[in-house]
Amino acid sequence: MSSSSSTRSHSEIFEKIPVHVFATPTAAARELAAEVRQLIEYRKAEGRNAVLGLATGSTPVPFYRELIRLHREEGLSFQNVITFNLDEYYGLAPEHPESYARFMAEQLFNHIDIPNENIHIPSGQVPGNQVFVHCREYEEAIEKAGGIDLQILGIGRTGHIGFNEPGSSKESLTRRITLDRITRQDAAGDFRGEQNVPHFAITMGVGTILRGRKLALMAWGENKAGIVARAVEGSVTDTVSASFLQEHPDARFFVDQGAASELVRFKLPWLVGPASWSPAESMRAVCWLSKKLGRPVLKLVDEDYNENGLSDLLSEQGPAYQLNIRIFNRLQNTITGWPGGKPHEDDTYRPERAKPYPKQCLVFSPEPQDAVVAMAGTMERLQDQGNHVYLANLTSGSLRVSDSEADKFAGTLNELAISTDESAAWLPQKAYADEVLRILAEKGEVGEDPELLRRLKALILRGESRDAAQAIHIASSEVSFLDLPFYEKGRYRRFKTTEEDVVAVASLLRQQRPNQIYLTGHSSDPSSVSAMTFSIVMQALQQCMGEDWRSACSIWIYSGKEKPFAPHEIDMAVPMSPTQMERKQRALGRFQQLTSLEVQAPDRDRATARHYDDLGLAQYEAIECFQRWRAA
Ligand code: GLP
């Protein structure tokens, strides 16, 4: 995939904003940081200040890390830099763990030599009747500094820049805004529950942002792919604030491959130039054509291909009749009721090999609910068909558990101790419960959880996870909890993995010696728990290279909840009956803290089955699906 370049190729004709695609966020961050360095040094030589507009969220973190590195290792000074942040949650004090003021201090300002008085962040604490004045003064301060030279932006799932939710006008200025439901859901993890997420924020307006001389929007991971494509290729609309960047003379997107994946040049490459018709690409094109015309694969005719930009494919692999049959058979061969391989059967066209049987199947779940959400039915099948399923929960998931759950548990323990008897046997439990209740009362809804509380929350989730596993026939003894240190020591969007994490996973792999591995996170937002655990497992597998079990082990990827696999991406489709779906639903019900996307998992399984049906394959109730891992 190309990296940045100033000349735009024909393949980018649908893109109304220049998009630079990088192999990794770090590579993109490095390029942008180098540009900032140039700006700062250029301005310094002129005896002037460089004015930067800054953003929060997980997206700019690699960029800030690179700026810090430039400062520490290459002596870049920020003495002549003035910054203006885009936004702040309204109602939060600067010391609140989720305030953007604290975020900026921890992620950047504490590590560079910028003078304090040069930092500007909207205040989340101005009284209601002074908000208007505060916002006007913010605008004036930007103007007084000479305007913003380079504005850094991220993008929210609603397409917002800053906190300019759908409906924000092109002329809007700094103001208080009501947060969208989706935005609050996305922040729910950070605040341990949607109910704790502020309803309002103060944000620069779209108009304020557009006045910046240069704009650079960063986005990582496939969960941003849809909104990036809408902003770049869709029409300019106030329902996607980022689309206003199309009207700016110097706006650019810096994205990784995941976030670029819905752009026409990657999604439908044959529409923008000659395509290379690999088996995967022809599968993608035929599925697309069938969907576009609303006709099953076997009913597509030569004209359909010719009239829809696929004449190349036809001349290389046609006629339509032959091509259709080949694709249909390949799709058909992805379907199996035997995810662990069907013993004693010819496996030439089956997704998984028959031998060995039974198989040792190791399922990795980033947080405890993830594997159940994506593949409860498949785990149950594997187990019922005689394989040995081992469910490894990589992190404790403690950050997801609400205070009220901990309160409920400690309250019950306390009462039990009081009501059972007053003997010494209960004293430690009583003291423990009292301590938990004290911590909860003291820290309030939004304070940080000390270790004791995180531990209790992890234990609560352990119970739920074992319970859910039992509902799909997996014994408690086959569920393990690795509690990887990066998670235990970190917070959402700010995790940092270390060798310790990799060592823990490698040792589990050596102990299990699996024939099959299931995992997820290959193209998620790199700061997410699933992307981090994916990279940890991959590094651990690398360490096991050359061991006898390793080369014979198949690796299956299950999709993240934000972006289910499309039919052309599926290598193994495991159909589920209505009764199995009921059991999956029951297993999901064992978790108290599911997000709306997790609750909707069965609907997504049903939608996958409908896609197969539309392509002309058998009609199933639902399908869980997997991709074979192919190392790049
Ligand atoms: C918040 C911020 C935005 C940011 C967005 C995306 O809504 N106000 O400025 O772009 O989150 O966050 P992330 O980068 O974590 O995906």
Side-chain angles (χ1 to χ4, degrees):
M1 210 169 274
S2 79
S3 108
S4 82
S5 76
S6 49
T7 49
R8 302 181 64 190
S9 80
H10 180 73
S11 69
E12 295 159 44
I13 51 170
F14 286 93
E15 296 163 27
K16 300 173 204 159
I17 305 173
V19 181
H20 304 315
V21 184
F22 295 83
T24 61
T26 317
R30 239 180 250 144
E31 179 144 331
L32 196 51
E35 206 174 294
V36 168
R37 174 198 198 139
Q38 263 188 352
L39 171 73
I40 297 175
E41 289 178 345
Y42 184 73
R43 281 292 158 82
K44 192 173 172 193
E46 290 181 329
R48 290 173 58 200
N49 289 320
V51 185
L52 299 178
L54 298 179
T56 49
S58 51
T59 307
V61 170
F63 167 71
Y64 294 146
R65 283 197 187 135
E66 178 61 10
L67 289 183
I68 296 168
R69 194 195 66 75
L70 288 176
H71 171 67
R72 284 195 182 145
E73 294 175 18
E74 302 189 17
L76 176 65
S77 167
F78 290 78
Q79 287 286 335
N80 67 320
V81 174
I82 297 185
T83 64
F84 288 92
N85 261 80
L86 282 167
D87 46 12
E88 177 61 286
Y89 286 109
Y90 185 68
L92 298 196
E95 56 279 3
H96 186 286
E98 293 308 326
S99 84
Y100 287 164
R102 175 145 168 203
F103 176 95
M104 287 309 300
E106 287 175 357
Q107 297 300 320
L108 182 66
F109 298 142
N110 287 352
H111 313 283
I112 57 176
D113 63 343
I114 185 167
N116 254 341
E117 61 278 16
N118 288 8
I119 296 171
H120 303 82
I121 302 177
S123 163
Q125 287 203 302
V126 272
N129 59 359
Q130 289 165 35
V131 168
F132 181 77
V133 175
H134 177 68
C135 294
R136 202 185 52 211
E137 285 171 357
Y138 203 70
E139 291 282 335
E140 286 165 4
I142 296 175
E143 234 171 85
K144 195 167 154 235
I148 289 171
D149 291 311
L150 174 62
Q151 174 68 56
I152 303 296
L153 298 163
I155 184 168
R157 259 205 306 146
T158 60
H160 68 221
I161 43 178
F163 267 132
N164 288 284
E165 298 290 23
S168 300
S169 81
K170 193 186 162 191
E171 289 76 29
S172 53
L173 297 178
T174 303
R175 68 206 184 286
R176 187 167 68 167
I177 192 159
T178 307
L179 298 180
D180 193 274
R181 179 88 205 271
I182 297 181
T183 303
R184 294 188 64 242
Q185 280 171 358
D186 285 349
D190 308 337
F191 285 87
R192 285 188 314 275
E194 202 179 314
Q195 73 281 2
N196 300 329
V197 182
H199 285 268
F200 305 100
I202 294 189
T203 181
M204 278 188 198
V206 176
T208 324
I209 293 168
L210 291 179
R211 277 188 214 150
R213 283 185 272 281
K214 283 173 184 272
L215 312 181
L217 186 149
M218 293 183 274
W220 326 127
E222 63 180 14
N223 54 324
K224 295 279 172 78
I227 198 67
V228 164
R230 278 184 70 192
V232 171
E233 297 180 336
S235 43
V236 177
T237 161
D238 67 5
T239 52
V240 179
S241 301
S243 69
F244 286 120
L245 267 59
Q246 293 180 20
E247 298 183 343
H248 190 281
D250 196 348
R252 287 161 302 157
F253 274 43
F254 289 70
V255 300
D256 68 353
Q257 297 177 2
S261 60
E262 289 286 316
L263 295 172
V264 171
R265 66 171 139 146
F266 301 114
K267 193 181 174 191
L268 310 169
W270 54 88
L271 294 185
V272 291
S276 65
W277 293 113
S278 64
E281 242 5 38
S282 28
M283 171 72 95
R284 184 209 288 253
V286 176
C287 291
W288 167 78
L289 187 62
S290 156
K291 184 165 184 223
K292 178 165 190 247
L293 302 180
R295 241 169 316 125
V297 171
L298 292 176
K299 288 193 180 175
L300 298 172
V301 294
D302 286 2
E303 288 75 40
D304 295 331
Y305 285 89
N306 286 329
E307 287 163 13
N308 288 283
L310 290 171
S311 49
D312 278 6
L313 174 62
L314 203 59
S315 58
E316 219 176 272
Q317 298 184 22
Y321 175 75
Q322 298 285 346
L323 174 57
N324 295 347
I325 290 183
R326 269 201 310 279
I327 296 290
F328 180 86
N329 286 341
R330 269 174 38 213
L331 282 165
Q332 179 71 44
N333 290 339
T334 62
I335 303 175
T336 181
W338 293 80
K342 192 165 186 182
H344 321 302
E345 291 279 333
D346 176 8
D347 59 9
T348 320
Y349 298 110
R350 289 177 180 277
E352 184 54 277
R353 64 212 191 283
K355 285 182 186 160
Y357 178 79
K359 285 191 177 61
Q360 185 74 16
C361 309
L362 176 56
V363 179
F364 282 116
S365 194
E367 288 184 309
Q369 77 292 344
D370 291 323
V372 178
V373 165
M375 55 175 291
T378 304
M379 284 196 276
E380 187 191 53
R381 282 244 165 138
L382 287 166
Q383 185 69 27
D384 291 354
Q385 290 168 349
N387 301 289
H388 176 210
V389 177
Y390 192 82
L391 173 58
N393 292 306
L394 290 161
T395 71
S396 72
S398 62
L399 292 169
R400 299 171 55 96
V401 180
S402 68
D403 285 353
S404 65
E405 288 298 311
D407 185 79
K408 202 160 72 184
F409 180 88
T412 309
L413 188 58
N414 206 340
E415 249 175 63
L416 192 67
I418 296 167
S419 63
T420 313
D421 65 50
E422 278 149 34
S423 77
W426 277 101
L427 283 178
Q429 285 86 337
K430 171 100 176 63
Y432 173 79
D434 285 343
E435 176 65 359
V436 171
L437 293 170
R438 188 191 62 77
I439 292 172
L440 285 169
E442 260 177 29
K443 83 181 183 75
E445 252 175 14
V446 289
E448 275 170 296
D449 290 359
E451 202 188 326
L452 183 89
L453 188 54
R454 278 187 81 157
R455 201 68 224 124
L456 172 60
K457 289 183 171 181
L459 293 180
I460 291 172
L461 207 43
R462 280 191 181 193
E464 293 176 6
S465 173
R466 286 197 198 98
D467 221 15
Q470 266 168 13
I472 49 171
H473 308 155
I474 296 169
S476 296
S477 56
E478 305 313 299
V479 183
S480 77
F481 301 89
L482 272 75
D483 294 352
L484 289 181
F486 87 89
Y487 185 95
E488 294 312 308
K489 292 180 193 149
R491 312 219 328 259
Y492 281 121
R493 310 197 206 209
R494 281 164 246 184
F495 296 117
K496 247 184 155 174
T497 64
T498 67
E499 185 60 20
E500 233 187 310
D501 301 303
V502 180
V503 168
V505 174
S507 114
L508 178 77
L509 284 168
R510 290 191 172 112
Q511 172 212 325
Q512 288 290 313
R513 305 167 57 81
N515 307 112
Q516 269 194 332
I517 287 175
Y518 291 86
L519 83 155
T520 190
H522 64 307
S523 50
S524 310
D525 169 355
S527 68
S528 65
V529 177
S530 57
M532 301 208 118
T533 49
F534 181 83
S535 135
I536 291 168
V537 173
M538 282 297 152
Q539 290 173 61
L541 280 166
Q542 192 64 34
Q543 289 191 355
C544 299
M545 226 30 135
E547 295 179 21
D548 57 349
W549 60 270
R550 174 63 189 88
S551 53
C553 174
S554 43
I555 301 176
W556 293 101
I557 307 292
Y558 55 90
S559 74
K561 20 191 187 274
E562 295 94 358
K563 193 165 178 266
F565 292 136
H568 72 271
E569 296 172 314
I570 298 172
D571 294 309
M572 177 159 75
V574 183
M576 294 171 71
S577 69
T579 330
Q580 278 177 308
M581 285 306 280
E582 271 172 35
R583 281 198 296 272
K584 175 165 184 171
Q585 199 87 54
R586 220 173 301 147
L588 283 171
R590 306 290 162 93
F591 290 103
Q592 298 295 315
Q593 305 280 328
L594 294 183
T595 64
S596 50
L597 272 178
E598 288 160 355
V599 171
Q600 288 152 11
D603 296 339
R604 286 194 296 277
D605 299 339
R606 290 193 181 94
T608 307
R610 269 197 308 280
H611 289 152
Y612 266 68
D613 182 19
D614 293 344
L615 290 164
L617 292 126
Q619 201 176 22
Y620 293 103
E621 169 71 7
I623 287 179
E624 287 179 346
C625 47
F626 305 89
Q627 213 171 57
R628 186 174 284 111
W629 173 248
R630 301 173 183 87

mmCIF file of all heavy atoms in Angstrom, residues 116 202 256 280 343 356 372 445 503 540:
data_model
loop_
_atom_site.group_PDB
_atom_site.id
_atom_site.type_symbol
_atom_site.label_atom_id
_atom_site.label_comp_id
_atom_site.label_asym_id
_atom_site.label_seq_id
_atom_site.Cartn_x
_atom_site.Cartn_y
_atom_site.Cartn_z
ATOM 1 N N ASN A 116 3.763 26.730 30.454
ATOM 2 C CA ASN A 116 2.370 26.515 30.878
ATOM 3 C C ASN A 116 1.387 27.510 30.289
ATOM 4 O O ASN A 116 0.274 27.161 29.908
ATOM 5 C CB ASN A 116 2.291 26.620 32.399
ATOM 6 C CG ASN A 116 2.129 25.245 32.995
ATOM 7 O OD1 ASN A 116 1.730 24.316 32.289
ATOM 8 N ND2 ASN A 116 2.463 25.110 34.267
ATOM 9 N N ILE A 202 -17.561 21.253 25.808
ATOM 10 C CA ILE A 202 -17.277 22.522 25.130
ATOM 11 C C ILE A 202 -16.324 22.190 23.997
ATOM 12 O O ILE A 202 -15.326 21.480 24.207
ATOM 13 C CB ILE A 202 -16.655 23.543 26.080
ATOM 14 C CG1 ILE A 202 -17.712 23.914 27.127
ATOM 15 C CG2 ILE A 202 -16.167 24.779 25.310
ATOM 16 C CD1 ILE A 202 -17.358 25.067 28.013
ATOM 17 N N ASP A 256 -4.332 4.350 8.723
ATOM 18 C CA ASP A 256 -3.662 3.062 8.530
ATOM 19 C C ASP A 256 -4.527 2.226 7.579
ATOM 20 O O ASP A 256 -5.596 2.673 7.139
ATOM 21 C CB ASP A 256 -3.388 2.365 9.867
ATOM 22 C CG ASP A 256 -4.666 1.917 10.568
ATOM 23 O OD1 ASP A 256 -5.778 2.262 10.085
ATOM 24 O OD2 ASP A 256 -4.580 1.224 11.591
ATOM 25 N N ALA A 280 -9.097 -14.198 -4.118
ATOM 26 C CA ALA A 280 -9.799 -13.383 -3.117
ATOM 27 C C ALA A 280 -10.497 -12.199 -3.766
ATOM 28 O O ALA A 280 -11.646 -11.874 -3.456
ATOM 29 C CB ALA A 280 -8.806 -12.888 -2.075
ATOM 30 N N PRO A 343 -14.154 -35.786 11.550
ATOM 31 C CA PRO A 343 -13.275 -36.953 11.613
ATOM 32 C C PRO A 343 -13.667 -38.017 10.590
ATOM 33 O O PRO A 343 -14.856 -38.172 10.283
ATOM 34 C CB PRO A 343 -13.477 -37.464 13.045
ATOM 35 C CG PRO A 343 -14.704 -36.814 13.558
ATOM 36 C CD PRO A 343 -14.933 -35.572 12.782
ATOM 37 N N PRO A 356 -5.569 -33.909 13.405
ATOM 38 C CA PRO A 356 -5.862 -34.983 14.354
ATOM 39 C C PRO A 356 -7.284 -34.865 14.908
ATOM 40 O O PRO A 356 -7.892 -33.789 14.828
ATOM 41 C CB PRO A 356 -4.844 -34.711 15.471
ATOM 42 C CG PRO A 356 -4.612 -33.228 15.407
ATOM 43 C CD PRO A 356 -4.728 -32.861 13.967
ATOM 44 N N VAL A 372 -17.426 -15.279 23.756
ATOM 45 C CA VAL A 372 -18.821 -15.731 23.820
ATOM 46 C C VAL A 372 -19.658 -14.934 22.822
ATOM 47 O O VAL A 372 -20.482 -15.484 22.095
ATOM 48 C CB VAL A 372 -19.377 -15.585 25.257
ATOM 49 C CG1 VAL A 372 -20.835 -16.001 25.319
ATOM 50 C CG2 VAL A 372 -18.546 -16.418 26.222
ATOM 51 N N GLU A 445 -18.296 8.174 42.070
ATOM 52 C CA GLU A 445 -18.572 7.443 40.837
ATOM 53 C C GLU A 445 -17.400 7.411 39.867
ATOM 54 O O GLU A 445 -17.223 6.487 39.113
ATOM 55 C CB GLU A 445 -19.740 8.112 40.127
ATOM 56 C CG GLU A 445 -21.000 7.285 40.192
ATOM 57 C CD GLU A 445 -22.149 8.047 39.594
ATOM 58 O OE1 GLU A 445 -21.907 9.052 38.920
ATOM 59 O OE2 GLU A 445 -23.289 7.625 39.809
ATOM 60 N N VAL A 503 5.339 -13.244 27.487
ATOM 61 C CA VAL A 503 5.845 -14.440 28.170
ATOM 62 C C VAL A 503 4.681 -15.251 28.751
ATOM 63 O O VAL A 503 4.634 -16.483 28.641
ATOM 64 C CB VAL A 503 6.849 -14.028 29.281
ATOM 65 C CG1 VAL A 503 7.177 -15.189 30.195
ATOM 66 C CG2 VAL A 503 8.106 -13.455 28.647
ATOM 67 N N ALA A 540 3.863 -14.045 20.904
ATOM 68 C CA ALA A 540 4.074 -15.298 21.641
ATOM 69 C C ALA A 540 4.200 -16.465 20.658
ATOM 70 O O ALA A 540 5.044 -17.344 20.816
ATOM 71 C CB ALA A 540 2.926 -15.525 22.617
#
